[in-house]
């Protein structure tokens, strides 16, 4: 397991999967260990995945200063990884909450990003939060599922802050709830204390980030799940509109983890973007 040292001396780990040109991958959560990403639905057959364990997660060390869990401060870790890998410019993929980290990195180091893929990314860094109604509107699309009647009232109470997270609501985060989805959910490892700091006061400056990304010229893919509540496709499209050279794609029938719901579709779409071969894809967006 490779290790590198962050600017503050914290030892950070990353995991390599696949062969080919490197693709640096930032996990979501926030502050989930990268293990839940797996091989991103077979994307490792196209690229060598460099899966970062953010500080305090997975195999990375806990920092001396918990304030360094804040999203804007994690940008230094991403830059240290790029330098450690010896990459002049890197392709970068981020999932969910990791999307805000990737946006902050692209805003600060635009010359270091060759291509940027944002997968069901929550655009907190752009001042675009996911609301309870976003999540409920997506959840209502699942009304025909056998688990819906029991899960929906719990989901509402959780969003209202009247109940703790109940495992019965997990199916709302997947495009289909089956053995593969359940196995994926069981692999999740996270750091709750770090997650509380990730988006704390001072983490984001949306006007400055939007202004910086309006000058970001690298190609960007913003991929949403058709059944995802965070973000809904409409919110993801608004995030895509911030970038001068952005493609927007909706994966049909996918939830928050599109590589679990339809691995072949996901890997093909993302690989085409990374290779600049989108023109060869059928028009399904």
């Amino acid at each position: 397991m490779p290790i590198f040292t962050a600017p503050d001396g914290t030892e950070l780990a990353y995991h390599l999967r696949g062969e080919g040109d490197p693709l640096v991958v930032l996990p979501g959560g926030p502050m989930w260990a990268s293990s839940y990403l797996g091989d991103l639905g077979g994307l490792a057959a196209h690229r060598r995945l460099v899966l970062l364990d953010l500080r305090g997660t997975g195999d990375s060390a806990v920092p001396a200063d918990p304030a360094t869990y804040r999203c804007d401060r994690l940008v230094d870790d991403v830059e240290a990884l790029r330098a450690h890998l010896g990459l002049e410019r890197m392709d970068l993929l981020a999932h969910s909450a990791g999307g805000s980290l990737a946006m902050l990195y692209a805003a600060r180091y635009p010359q270091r990003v060759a291509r940027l893929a944002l997968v069901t990314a929550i655009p907190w860094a752009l001042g675009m939060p996911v609301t309870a109604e976003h999540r409920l509107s997506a959840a209502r699309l699942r009304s025909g599922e056998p688990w819906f009647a029991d899960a929906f009232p719990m989901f509402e109470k959780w969003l209202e802050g009247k109940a703790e997270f109940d495992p019965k609501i997990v199916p709302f985060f997947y495009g289909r709830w089956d053995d593969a989805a359940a196995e994926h959910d069981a692999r999740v490892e996270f750091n709750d204390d770090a997650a509380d700091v990730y988006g704390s006061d001072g983490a984001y400056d949306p006007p400055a980030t939007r202004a910086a990304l309006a000058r970001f010229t690298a190609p960007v893919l913003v991929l949403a799940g058709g059944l995802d509540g965070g973000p809904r496709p409409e919110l993801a499209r608004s995030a895509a509109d911030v970038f001068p050279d952005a493609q927007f794609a909706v994966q049909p029938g996918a939830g928050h983890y599109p590589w679990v719901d339809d691995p072949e579709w996901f890997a093909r779409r993302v690989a085409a973007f990374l290779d600049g071969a989108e023109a060869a894809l059928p028009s399904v967006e």
Side-chain angles (χ1 to χ4, degrees):
M1 178 188 61
I3 297 286
F4 69 103
T5 304
D8 68 348
T10 305
E11 290 195 338
L12 304 179
Y14 60 96
H15 304 267
L16 300 173
R17 294 190 175 92
E19 302 294 335
D21 294 335
L23 173 65
V24 174
V25 183
L26 306 180
M31 305 308 287
W32 285 9
S34 67
S35 55
Y36 82 99
L37 295 163
D39 69 352
L40 285 174
L43 190 59
H46 304 271
R47 287 297 184 103
R48 186 168 179 80
L49 305 183
V50 182
L51 304 166
L52 176 62
D53 279 341
L54 298 173
R55 54 181 53 216
T57 72
D59 292 308
S60 289
V62 173
D65 181 4
T68 60
Y69 289 134
R70 206 173 71 179
C71 186
D72 59 319
R73 300 186 65 175
L74 294 173
V75 170
D76 292 334
D77 294 350
V78 180
E79 173 61 3
L81 174 58
R82 180 204 62 79
H84 168 77
L85 295 171
L87 300 173
E88 185 68 22
R89 301 172 76 213
M90 63 180 174
D91 290 334
L92 186 62
L93 182 149
H95 173 243
S96 188
S100 283
L101 174 55
M103 291 180 216
L104 294 185
Y105 180 84
R108 194 182 304 176
Y109 296 103
Q111 74 281 10
R112 298 302 189 186
V113 181
R115 286 180 175 262
L116 173 62
L118 300 170
V119 176
T120 58
I122 301 174
W124 292 320
L126 302 178
M128 299 179 183
V130 171
T131 67
E133 187 49 44
H134 289 156
R135 294 195 182 278
L136 289 172
S137 67
R140 293 185 186 105
L141 299 174
R142 317 300 299 281
S143 61
E145 302 281 358
W147 43 263
F148 179 86
D150 287 336
F152 189 76
M154 297 179 186
F155 195 51
E156 286 185 299
K157 289 180 180 178
W158 174 66
L159 291 171
E160 292 169 356
K162 296 178 180 178
E164 296 294 318
F165 188 91
D166 191 299
K168 288 185 178 180
I169 71 176
V170 168
F172 285 118
F173 295 89
Y174 292 86
R176 66 175 191 276
W177 185 243
D178 57 12
D179 289 345
E183 189 276 331
H184 176 264
D185 177 65
R187 293 206 309 267
V188 171
E189 302 174 29
F190 50 89
N191 182 332
D192 269 345
D193 292 337
D196 289 341
V197 179
Y198 188 86
S200 57
D201 288 347
Y204 308 123
D205 182 349
T209 301
R210 291 167 71 102
L213 294 179
R215 302 186 296 271
F216 181 72
T217 57
V220 178
L221 171 65
V222 177
L223 190 152
L227 298 176
D228 191 15
R232 293 295 298 132
E234 307 89 75
L235 185 62
R237 181 180 285 280
S238 295
D241 289 342
V242 170
F243 297 92
D245 184 9
Q247 304 168 31
F248 174 67
V250 178
Q251 181 168 326
H256 198 56
Y257 310 99
W259 66 91
V260 177
D261 295 317
D262 189 340
E264 183 178 353
W265 195 104
F266 175 83
R268 184 183 180 198
R269 184 63 184 86
V270 175
F273 165 72
L274 294 171
D275 294 340
E278 301 89 346
L281 291 167
S283 179
V284 294
E285 285 97 85

